[in-house]
Amino acid sequence: MSQARIIDGKAFAERLRARLKGQVEDLARRHGPVPGLAVVLVGEDPASQVYVRSKGRATVEAGMRSFEHRLPESTDQATLLAVIDRLNRDPEVHGILVQLPLPRGIDAGAVIEAIDPAKDVDGFHPYNAGRLALGLPGLVPCTPLGCLMLLRDVLGDLSGRRALVLGRSTIVGRPMAQLLLGADCTVTIAHSRTRDLVEECRRAEILVAAVGRPGMVRGDWIRPGATVIDVGINRVAAKEPGDEPGKTRLVGDVDFAEAVEVAGAITPVPGGVGPMTIACLLHNTLHAACAIHGVPVPEAA
Ligand code: NDP
């Protein structure tokens, strides 16, 4: 059998970002709002700092306003809630993202619930999660939204396809399953208590892996010709000949070398789902700004 098509998420995300930039310009030409995204970072977590910096850069590149709020590790919940309250009321801010994880002692659920659902561009607020579960329009979590866009690009109509989502987290697995259901797939959600996991995976025409376990999905778990979306981002020790000791690399939840021989199409790690997350954050910010101001989202050029 021939090798799987490699789904180029990086190129897709670049096209999406270019399209969004055009839509933002169009909005400004029609005297619409300039979409503004506020990112709140509490503490010094190095990975979070990198994410926040790249989100800020991408926001500005798309022609939107970026507001960064960096708070010390010692920030208490009341102070953070007061910042969110200010952002909720700020007319220049259309999207609010609180970078997770939050330091110990802060209840992330309470913080997410404090965000105005209209500005909840991460789509984590129970209001937006509820709307997604009911099949109503709303702000949808960025990573699963990006996965859906890639799937539609590769497969076109998803109706009737047998999909398996491996993982049931509130940020990836559950909303992914809801989106696939909304696209008329027949959806199975698998998790750590699933029996006969390999058999479940082998039935799937669409397999989305979001477990956080490097290389867990082996080639013989995959139905020949299936479309595989690997959400996992795991940093592991590099073991290629010639690699320096201590060097690391990123791998997904799927054993790529094995899977590429069986699947019909597959996302690589890195360069697959990862770049879609930020592009979808910008997508959500544009949509939030238009909804808040009651103006239509400009047509993409
Ligand atoms: P979580 O740890 O929140 O959830 C993992 C899920 O996988 C849980 O539902 C868990 O089941 C399930 N699981 C864990 N081990 C097994 C197992 N052995 N067999 C079956 N199911 C298992 O992870 P996230 O959803 O937050 O993230 C998943 C991966 O996606 C991570 O690698 C993360 O880094 C990556 N990620 C990538 C993003 C991107 O932009 N590309 C964005 C967000 C995440 P149970 O519920 O039973 O415990």
Side-chain angles (χ1 to χ4, degrees), residues 1 3 19 58 63 76 83 86 94 98 109 119 149 163 172 183 200 218 232 239 244 253 279 286 291 294:
M1 200 172 158
Q3 282 211 334
R19 214 164 48 237
D76 63 17
V83 171
R86 264 206 320 279
H94 304 99
V98 178
K119 298 188 177 186
M149 287 181 184
V172 189
E200 292 289 350
R218 307 296 303 264
K239 284 198 236 110
E244 290 162 29
D253 291 339
L286 171 65

Side-chain angles (χ1 to χ4, degrees), residues 24 27 31-39 59 63-67 69 84 86-97 115-123 128 139 281-295:
V24 170
L27 196 61
H31 308 292
V34 178
L37 173 64
V39 178
T59 307
M64 304 186 188
R65 286 203 188 103
S66 167
F67 307 97
H69 295 264
I84 290 172
R86 264 206 320 279
L87 296 172
N88 282 342
R89 287 185 283 109
D90 186 337
E92 294 200 332
V93 171
H94 304 99
I96 303 171
L97 181 152
I115 297 172
D116 178 349
K119 298 188 177 186
D120 168 41
V121 282
D122 252 342
N128 284 314
L139 290 163
L281 176 65
L282 302 175
H283 168 276
N284 280 354
T285 305
L286 171 65
H287 281 250
C290 290
I292 287 167
H293 289 268
V295 298

Side-chain angles (χ1 to χ4, degrees), residues 37-292:
L37 173 64
V39 178
V40 182
L41 173 62
V42 187
E44 309 288 327
D45 180 59
S48 294
Q49 295 201 12
V50 174
Y51 290 139
V52 166
R53 218 174 303 131
S54 50
K55 282 168 187 169
R57 209 179 308 127
T59 307
V60 172
E61 274 169 23
M64 304 186 188
R65 286 203 188 103
S66 167
F67 307 97
E68 265 181 41
H69 295 264
R70 289 169 183 266
L71 305 174
E73 181 87 24
S74 58
T75 303
D76 63 17
Q77 189 163 319
T79 308
L80 178 55
L81 292 177
V83 171
I84 290 172
D85 183 50
R86 264 206 320 279
L87 296 172
N88 282 342
R89 287 185 283 109
D90 186 337
E92 294 200 332
V93 171
H94 304 99
I96 303 171
L97 181 152
V98 178
Q99 185 65 45
L100 301 176
L102 287 167
R104 240 186 253 249
I106 297 186
D107 175 359
V111 171
I112 289 166
E113 283 200 45
I115 297 172
D116 178 349
K119 298 188 177 186
D120 168 41
V121 282
D122 252 342
F124 296 162
H125 193 289
Y127 175 84
N128 284 314
R131 289 189 69 88
L132 179 60
L134 293 172
L136 297 170
L139 290 163
V140 172
C142 302
T143 301
L145 179 60
C147 295
L148 185 74
M149 287 181 184
L150 293 178
L151 282 168
R152 284 201 193 282
D153 188 53
V154 173
L155 296 171
D157 185 13
L158 304 182
S159 175
R161 299 203 191 239
R162 208 184 283 270
L164 181 128
V165 181
L166 184 48
R168 56 174 165 178
S169 73
T170 50
I171 62 168
V172 189
R174 281 169 204 254
M176 184 74 249
Q178 298 288 0
L179 286 172
L180 290 167
L181 191 59
D184 296 324
C185 290
T186 302
V187 184
T188 302
I189 307 176
H191 46 78
S192 66
R193 305 296 174 90
T194 297
R195 256 188 289 128
D196 305 325
L197 178 60
V198 176
E199 287 310 312
E200 292 289 350
C201 290
R202 276 192 198 133
R203 272 198 286 274
E205 301 168 79
I206 294 170
L207 175 59
V208 181
V211 268
R213 306 214 176 260
M216 179 175 141
V217 176
R218 307 296 303 264
D220 63 358
W221 294 27
I222 294 167
R223 174 183 167 135
T227 303
V228 178
I229 304 290
D230 189 353
V231 182
I233 300 181
N234 309 288
R235 191 164 283 285
V236 298
K239 284 198 236 110
E240 301 300 316
D243 278 336
E244 290 162 29
K247 196 170 170 232
T248 60
R249 66 191 174 99
L250 291 180
V251 298
D253 291 339
V254 178
D255 184 320
F256 184 83
E258 290 182 6
V260 78
E261 302 294 336
V262 189
I266 184 168
T267 56
V269 177
V273 174
M276 291 300 292
T277 300
I278 289 189
C280 287
L281 176 65
L282 302 175
H283 168 276
N284 280 354
T285 305
L286 171 65
H287 281 250
C290 290
I292 287 167

